[in-house]
Amino acid sequence: MSTFDADRPLLEIKDLAITFNTPEGPVYAVRNAHLSIMPGETVAIVGESGSGKSTTALSAIGLLPGNGKVTGGQIIFDGEDITNVSDKRIIELRGNSIGMVPQDPMSNLNPVWKIGFQVKETLKANGLAGDNAKERVAEVLAEAGLPNAATRANQYPHEFSGGMRQRALIAIGLACRPRLLIADEPTSALDVTVQQQILDHLERLTTELGTAVLLITHDLGLAAERAEKVVVMYKGQVVESGPALEILRNPKHPYTQRLVASAPSLASKRLQTHSLNEAVEANAVEKPVHSKAGDDVLEIKNLTKVFKLRKSLGKSIDFTAVDDVTFSVKRGTTTAIVGESGSGKSTVAQMVLNLLKPTAGTISFDGMVMNEQPESELFKFRRRVQPIFQDPYGSLDPMYSIYRTIEEPLRIHGMGDSKSRQNRVKELLSHVSMPSSTMYRFPNELSGGQRQRIAIARALALQPEVIICDEAVSALDVLVQAQILNLLNELQKNLGLTYLFITHDLAVVRQIADDVCVMQHGKIVEHSSTDEVFNNPQQEYTRNLLGAIPGATLLI
Amino acid sequence: MIRFTLLRFLQLIPVFLGATLLVYFLVFATPGNPIAALSGGKPMSPAVEAALTAQYNLDKPFWMQYLLYLKNLLSFDLGETFSGQPVSDVIGRAFPVTARLAIMALVFEAFFGIIFGVIAGLRKGKLFDSTVLIASLIVIAVPTFVLGFILQFVVGVKLAWAKPTVSPGAPWSDLILPALVLGLVSLAYVIRLTRTSVIENKNADYVRTATAKGLSRRRVVVVHIVRNSMIPVVTFLGADLGSLMGGAIVTEGIFNVPGVGNLLYLSILKGETPTVVAVVSVLVLVFVLANLVVDLLYAWLDPRIRYA
C-alpha cells in the first residue's frame, strides 16, 4: 500500500493510445487521451458510443477486450505506472484499489449464482472475507440501498428488478473499499426516477467513503450534475476538459457545443411547430374520405387490462396493469404517454396496436371500435397503424436483408409489383436519410441509430396514419436520439402523421409531444398539453418525474 | 421441485404403456409363426401345436394378449424365452454389462470432452483449438464400425494393450476398449458443444465484471465461464446415456460384448416376442429416466428455470 498523498492525482492518464486489432486492420480507438483524478474527486467522461470513453476507463483496470492493446502513453495509479503491469499485480489492484460498476445490470450478474455468493467472492478474492463474511455481505448490500439485504442475498439475479441489480453491482464495486470506482454508464439502462435514486445513493456513499469516481456517461447534463470535472471525448480523442459547469456554459469545441445543444435533459422546447400540410393531405394515397385534420383519430375509452398472475397450484391473482384509461389523439399531433416501467404504458400501446386484447373498454380508430372487429378489418387496420419498438437490435430480423425487411409489409398487403416495391423501398430509405445501397445490407452491419431508421422506414412503408412509438429512442445515444426525433418531426410535418409516443423520459416528451398523459400504477394521473405539464405539473408524481431529469436543476 | 418430479414420474406411465403397446404390436404384426420357429421348423402334432399356442396365449386376440402380458408384467413376470429361461434372468445378465459399458463411455466422454472443449474454447483460433476441431470432425465422420475395427486391430491385436474381445462375464478391464469406441463419437460432440458454449460465455458481461472484482483467472474460468457453459453439455450427456445404453449394438457386436444390444439383436432374429418387448421396454424406461434426470439437472444448473 502506498501512502496517501492528497496532492498527487490518484489516477493519471497521459497520452494514452489504444488500438484494436480487427480482421479489417488496426482500429485506433483512443489517441492522446489525458485525464487525471484527485483522491475523492468525481470526474466524468462524456461522449457518444464509439468515442472511446469506456475503452479509456477500462484500460485503467486492465479490462480491454482481447484484441485491444495500449499502444502508447501511460496509466499511473497512485504513483505506480500500471500501463503494462503484470497480470498478478492488476488482479491485486482490482476490487480493493479500483472497483467497477458496469453499465447493464441485466447482463452483468452471473445468472446462475446467488447475489450473496457474488458479493462474497469479491470479499474473498481481496482477502476481506473473515469469519463473518455472511454478515459483511448483508452489510455492503444494505449500504448500497438494498432492502432486506440478508434475505435478498439468498436470491438469484433474475428475482431482482433492474434497479435492485444495479444496487447489488454497486455493492460489489464498493465492497472492498476501492480508492477509485469506475462507473460505466451505471444508470443508462434504468428508469429516470430509479436512475436518480441510484446516482444519489452512489454519490452519498462515495463521498462518505472518500472514493474517487470515474463516471462514464453519454449525457452531458448528468455529467455536469454529478461530476466536478468533465472530460469530453470524440472519436477517440479528448476534445475538451475542465470544470463541469464551465464546459456546460461555455463549450469551446464544436462537438461539445453540439452535445450541449442536443442533450435531452437540457433541451427545453418542442423541436418545431408543425402544421398539417394541405398539399400532403391532397396527395396522400387512399386516404379515407372522412378523415380531416384535427379530428380524434384514436379514441381510447375506459381501457382496462387485467393479467392473471399464476401463483402455486392453480391459484392465480389478478393484476390490473391498465386501469380505466381514457384519452384521445388528434390527427397530425403527438401524444406522449409517460411513466416509470411497470406503469402500464407499454400495455396500453400493445392494446392500441391490437396485439393484446383489452379486458374492458374500447379503442376506436377513425370512428371504428377496433377491438371488436373481425380479423379482416384488423388486417386493414394494421396497414394504417404501425409500430416502432424500443430495441432496434431485436425488432429487425437478423436473417432478413434491409430490402426484405422494408418490402415485407408491402408484399403482405399486396401493394404493387416487385418493380414498384423496389422503388418504394428506395424512396422510404431516402425518407429516413439512408442511401439506397443500404437495402443490400443486413441489420448486423448497421449501428443502433441506423437500425432505428430502418425500423421507421418499415413502419412508413404502408403509408400509415398513426405510428405507435414504444420507447422508440430510449436505446439510442443522445446525438442519435436527437437525430431520430428530428426525423420523426420532419416526417410528421411532411406526411401528416399522428404519433402515440410511449416513453419514460420526460426530456424526450418535451421535444416531441403536443399532449402528455402521465401514467402511474395503470392509471392516467395527469393529462394535458406538454407546456402545461412542464410549467405547471399538478401531481406530486409528475413533479418527481420532472425532478428526476438529470441536469434539470442546473439550467443555464 | 418435488411436485415436478412426481408429475414426471406419473408421466412415465402413459409413455411406458404406449411404448410397450407399440413394440408388442410391431412384433405381433411381424410375418412368421412363432410356434413354428419354436420347434425349429420341424413338423409338430396339431395337439402339441394347439397346446403351445394356448400356453403362449397366441390363440387369443391381440388386445387380450397385450393385456395378459401387462398383467404378468405387474407381477414382474416378463415371460420366458423359447429356450425356457425367464426373460428377467436373461435381461438381468445382459443389463449390468451394458450399464457398465455405457457408464465407462459416459465418464470418458464427459471428462475428456469437457476438458478439451474448455481449453479449445478459451484458446479459440489457436493451434490446440484447430487440432481438436479437425480431429473431432474426423471422428464424427467415420462410422463406428470402422473406428471399432481399427482400434480393435491396432490396440487389441498389434499392440496387444487390451484384449481384442470381451471375455464372458465382461469384467471392467475388458470393457475399456469398447467403451472408448462407444464414447468416441459423443466425445467429439461434447468437445464441440463445450467449446461453442465457452466461447459464447467467455465474452459475457458478467465474466468481465467477475474479473473486475479482482478474482484470479482460474476462478473466473471455473466459477463463471465453465459453470455457465455446462448447461447445454449436461443436457446432451444425460440424453446420451440413453442412446449409449440402447445404441451399443454395433460396438457390442465388434467386441463380442454379452450386453443388451447383442441380446436384442439375437431375439429379433429369432422372433422372440417376450424378450424383444421386455428389452425395449427396459430401454424406454432408461431413456425416460435419463430425460427426467436431465430436466432436474437443468433446473439445478440454471436457477432461472423453475417448474410450476
Side-chain angles (χ1 to χ4, degrees):
Chain A
M1 270 275 138
S2 42
T3 48
F4 187 76
D5 186 346
D7 294 334
R8 187 174 63 192
L10 182 63
L11 179 76
E12 205 175 359
I13 290 178
K14 292 183 192 162
D15 279 326
L16 188 72
I18 296 169
T19 310
F20 287 101
N21 282 313
T22 68
E24 286 85 38
V27 172
Y28 305 101
V30 175
R31 283 164 298 166
N32 304 325
H34 288 271
L35 69 89
S36 73
I37 305 173
M38 300 303 286
E41 192 181 38
T42 298
V43 174
I45 310 184
V46 187
E48 59 194 359
S49 51
S51 62
K53 56 187 195 305
S54 287
T55 309
T56 304
L58 290 178
S59 68
I61 187 173
L63 282 179
L64 290 178
N67 57 348
K69 241 190 116 176
V70 175
T71 45
Q74 271 185 312
I75 304 165
I76 297 161
F77 179 75
D78 204 14
E80 182 186 349
D81 186 340
I82 56 164
T83 323
N84 288 307
V85 83
S86 69
D87 283 356
K88 188 168 165 285
R89 181 66 189 134
I90 196 76
I91 287 173
E92 276 171 21
L93 286 174
R94 284 175 192 149
N96 51 5
S97 294
I98 310 178
M100 184 178 89
V101 178
Q103 175 169 14
D104 182 0
M106 292 301 161
S107 64
N108 273 291
L109 288 164
N110 189 331
V112 309
W113 296 111
K114 288 178 180 166
I115 299 289
F117 175 93
Q118 300 190 48
V119 179
K120 197 165 129 189
E121 72 171 358
T122 315
L123 295 167
K124 231 190 219 162
N126 294 290
L128 293 173
D131 303 327
N132 53 349
K134 214 171 163 184
E135 287 82 52
R136 188 74 197 118
V137 167
E139 266 169 46
V140 294
L141 281 171
E143 208 177 72
L146 195 75
N148 300 326
T151 326
R152 301 221 73 171
N154 264 322
Q155 288 183 310
Y156 288 99
H158 69 272
E159 296 166 276
F160 276 43
S161 68
M164 289 297 162
R165 291 188 207 199
Q166 197 56 285
R167 288 176 193 276
L169 283 164
I170 288 172
I172 288 171
L174 289 172
C176 303
R177 304 290 180 245
R179 307 210 16 225
L180 172 67
L181 185 74
I182 298 174
D184 186 0
E185 306 247 14
T187 55
S188 29
L190 304 171
D191 265 6
V192 258
T193 42
V194 182
Q195 184 175 336
Q196 191 192 30
Q197 287 165 15
I198 299 243
L199 286 173
D200 283 350
H201 200 90
L202 189 64
E203 194 174 315
R204 205 177 322 129
L205 208 54
T206 49
T207 312
E208 265 168 38
L209 300 171
T211 315
V213 178
L214 179 57
L215 178 70
I216 300 155
T217 176
H218 63 262
D219 190 337
L220 192 55
L222 188 146
E225 191 176 73
R226 302 288 169 176
E228 287 120 46
K229 270 193 312 203
V230 170
V231 176
V232 181
M233 282 190 81
Y234 179 58
K235 293 198 169 158
Q237 278 174 310
V238 173
V239 294
E240 197 161 350
S241 66
L245 282 176
E246 177 64 28
I247 291 214
L248 199 63
R249 293 205 174 107
N250 194 10
K252 295 203 172 58
H253 192 274
Y255 176 73
T256 320
Q257 287 163 1
R258 266 169 66 207
L259 211 55
V260 170
S262 62
S265 42
L266 304 168
S268 51
K269 288 227 46 155
R270 175 84 160 87
L271 280 170
Q272 58 218 110
T273 48
H274 57 277
S275 59
L276 189 63
N277 194 326
E278 297 294 329
V280 170
E281 180 82 343
N283 290 338
V285 190
E286 294 181 50
K287 277 254 173 158
V289 208
H290 54 275
S291 74
K292 54 182 189 297
D295 65 341
D296 287 343
V297 65
L298 275 176
E299 263 190 284
I300 281 83
K301 275 203 193 115
N302 308 107
L303 193 66
T304 300
K305 180 73 194 175
V306 178
F307 288 110
K308 294 220 176 294
L309 295 186
R310 270 183 66 173
K311 284 286 189 184
S312 59
L313 284 165
K315 269 180 274 176
S316 66
I317 52 163
D318 287 348
F319 170 70
T320 310
V322 174
D323 194 357
D324 197 16
V325 163
T326 302
F327 66 96
S328 58
V329 181
K330 277 197 173 43
R331 188 177 293 278
T333 68
T334 303
T335 298
I337 304 182
V338 208
E340 293 175 287
S341 50
S343 58
K345 58 190 192 305
S346 280
T347 313
V348 170
Q350 291 203 26
M351 287 191 285
V352 173
L353 281 165
N354 257 299
L355 297 172
L356 198 67
K357 259 196 143 19
T359 312
T362 58
I363 299 152
S364 312
F365 170 72
D366 215 2
M368 256 199 299
V369 178
M370 281 327 292
N371 51 320
E372 287 161 8
Q373 298 293 328
E375 271 305 308
S376 55
E377 280 299 318
L378 274 183
F379 189 69
K380 287 185 208 152
F381 162 81
R382 297 206 191 287
R383 196 175 134 181
R384 297 167 66 188
V385 180
Q386 285 282 307
I388 302 171
F389 293 110
Q390 172 171 15
D391 179 9
Y393 293 84
S395 61
L396 298 179
D397 188 329
M399 308 299 284
Y400 274 33
S401 69
I402 299 308
Y403 175 74
R404 221 177 137 194
T405 302
I406 302 177
E407 190 245 15
E408 193 186 25
L410 294 168
R411 195 158 29 83
I412 291 174
H413 287 267
M415 294 172 77
D417 51 22
S418 66
K419 184 95 189 107
S420 73
R421 284 205 291 260
Q422 188 163 356
N423 288 333
R424 175 80 179 131
V425 170
K426 279 185 193 154
E427 187 192 356
L428 285 164
L429 282 171
S430 75
H431 268 329
V432 295
S433 315
M434 296 284 288
S436 54
S437 60
T438 317
M439 63 193 206
Y440 305 112
R441 302 171 72 182
F442 283 84
N444 66 343
E445 300 168 45
L446 304 178
S447 71
Q450 289 174 321
R451 289 183 211 210
Q452 202 59 304
R453 284 171 190 271
I454 300 302
I456 293 172
R458 177 177 58 186
L460 291 175
L462 296 168
Q463 300 180 314
E465 290 149 59
V466 177
I467 294 186
I468 316 280
C469 305
D470 191 356
E471 302 269 13
V473 294
S474 314
L476 305 173
D477 261 7
V478 257
L479 281 182
V480 185
Q481 192 172 335
Q483 286 167 10
I484 298 286
L485 289 175
N486 268 318
L487 173 69
L488 289 171
N489 247 328
E490 196 69 20
L491 291 168
Q492 181 165 51
K493 199 174 85 187
N494 295 334
L495 304 172
L497 294 169
T498 308
Y499 294 133
L500 181 59
F501 210 92
I502 316 291
T503 181
H504 65 261
D505 194 346
L506 269 169
V508 168
V509 171
R510 175 157 252 187
Q511 292 177 75
I512 187 120
D514 301 293
D515 295 293
V516 183
C517 302
V518 181
M519 280 190 77
Q520 185 188 19
H521 304 313
K523 284 194 168 78
I524 290 187
V525 292
E526 188 156 356
H527 182 191
S528 57
S529 74
T530 306
D531 289 342
E532 186 70 22
V533 166
F534 274 81
N535 299 334
N536 190 15
Q538 299 299 313
Q539 296 287 326
E540 183 64 35
Y541 180 68
T542 316
R543 279 194 285 272
N544 283 343
L545 279 178
L546 283 170
I549 301 175
T553 48
L554 25 90
L555 278 181
I556 351 164
Chain B
M1 189 70 134
I2 295 167
R3 189 163 155 267
F4 169 77
T5 315
L6 277 176
L7 271 177
R8 286 297 303 260
F9 269 109
L10 287 179
Q11 278 175 18
L12 275 180
I13 298 170
V15 170
F16 187 75
L17 284 178
T20 49
L21 178 63
L22 191 69
V23 177
Y24 204 91
F25 175 74
L26 284 175
V27 181
F28 175 83
T30 321
N33 181 353
I35 300 300
L38 182 59
S39 66
K42 291 185 197 95
M44 194 185 290
S45 78
V48 175
E49 194 179 337
L52 278 173
T53 308
Q55 186 196 332
Y56 290 108
N57 296 318
L58 293 175
D59 53 343
K60 302 193 175 64
F62 173 70
W63 284 109
M64 256 339 250
Q65 289 191 34
Y66 178 66
L67 289 176
L68 282 168
Y69 174 77
L70 282 186
K71 193 192 111 210
N72 290 336
L73 203 63
L74 284 180
S75 49
F76 298 102
D77 177 8
L78 296 176
E80 286 180 359
T81 64
F82 288 162
S83 53
Q85 300 174 35
V87 172
S88 46
D89 284 6
V90 179
I91 292 182
R93 255 177 281 133
F95 201 78
V97 177
T98 298
R100 252 179 288 174
L101 187 65
I103 286 167
M104 283 171 79
L106 194 75
V107 170
F108 163 69
E109 70 184 57
F111 186 76
F112 289 102
I114 291 169
I115 288 180
F116 287 177
V118 168
I119 297 174
L122 292 176
R123 300 189 188 166
K124 186 191 168 204
K126 303 275 168 60
L127 182 68
F128 181 87
D129 180 37
S130 312
T131 316
V132 162
L133 273 184
I134 294 169
S136 60
L137 192 66
I138 293 172
V139 170
I140 291 171
V142 177
T144 309
F145 56 85
V146 176
L147 276 176
F149 279 125
I150 292 175
L151 282 178
Q152 186 181 38
F153 183 68
V154 176
V155 181
V157 181
K158 283 285 165 193
L159 299 171
W161 286 349
K163 281 190 197 165
T165 55
V166 174
S167 31
W172 288 92
S173 56
D174 282 15
L175 288 174
I176 292 175
L177 191 56
L180 284 185
V181 172
L182 186 60
L184 214 50
V185 175
S186 300
L187 171 74
Y189 283 114
V190 173
I191 289 176
R192 286 172 161 251
L193 204 55
T194 311
R195 174 183 175 274
T196 315
S197 198
V198 164
I199 289 172
E200 211 171 277
N201 283 314
K202 76 173 179 181
N203 292 323
D205 285 347
Y206 57 78
V207 171
R208 196 186 67 182
T209 304
T211 312
K213 290 178 190 175
L215 304 187
S216 64
R217 179 72 188 151
R218 191 191 166 80
R219 189 170 166 95
V220 172
V221 168
V222 174
V223 175
H224 292 278
I225 300 179
V226 176
R227 170 67 172 75
N228 290 56
S229 304
M230 280 306 96
I231 297 168
V233 179
V234 167
T235 316
F236 175 80
L237 286 175
D240 201 42
L241 179 65
S243 351
L244 288 177
M245 297 285 295
I249 296 182
V250 175
T251 314
E252 289 189 1
I254 295 171
F255 294 95
N256 197 28
V257 181
V260 172
N262 239 342
L263 175 66
L264 186 61
Y265 177 64
L266 293 175
S267 355
I268 292 172
L269 283 187
K270 282 192 283 182
E272 281 188 10
T273 313
T275 321
V276 176
V277 178
V279 171
V280 174
S281 307
V282 170
L283 288 180
V284 167
L285 212 59
V286 170
F287 258 100
V288 177
L289 285 178
N291 273 312
L292 174 63
V293 171
V294 167
D295 281 343
L296 295 178
L297 274 177
Y298 206 86
W300 174 72
L301 279 170
D302 191 343
R304 284 165 296 183
I305 294 164
R306 279 286 168 262
Y307 300 104

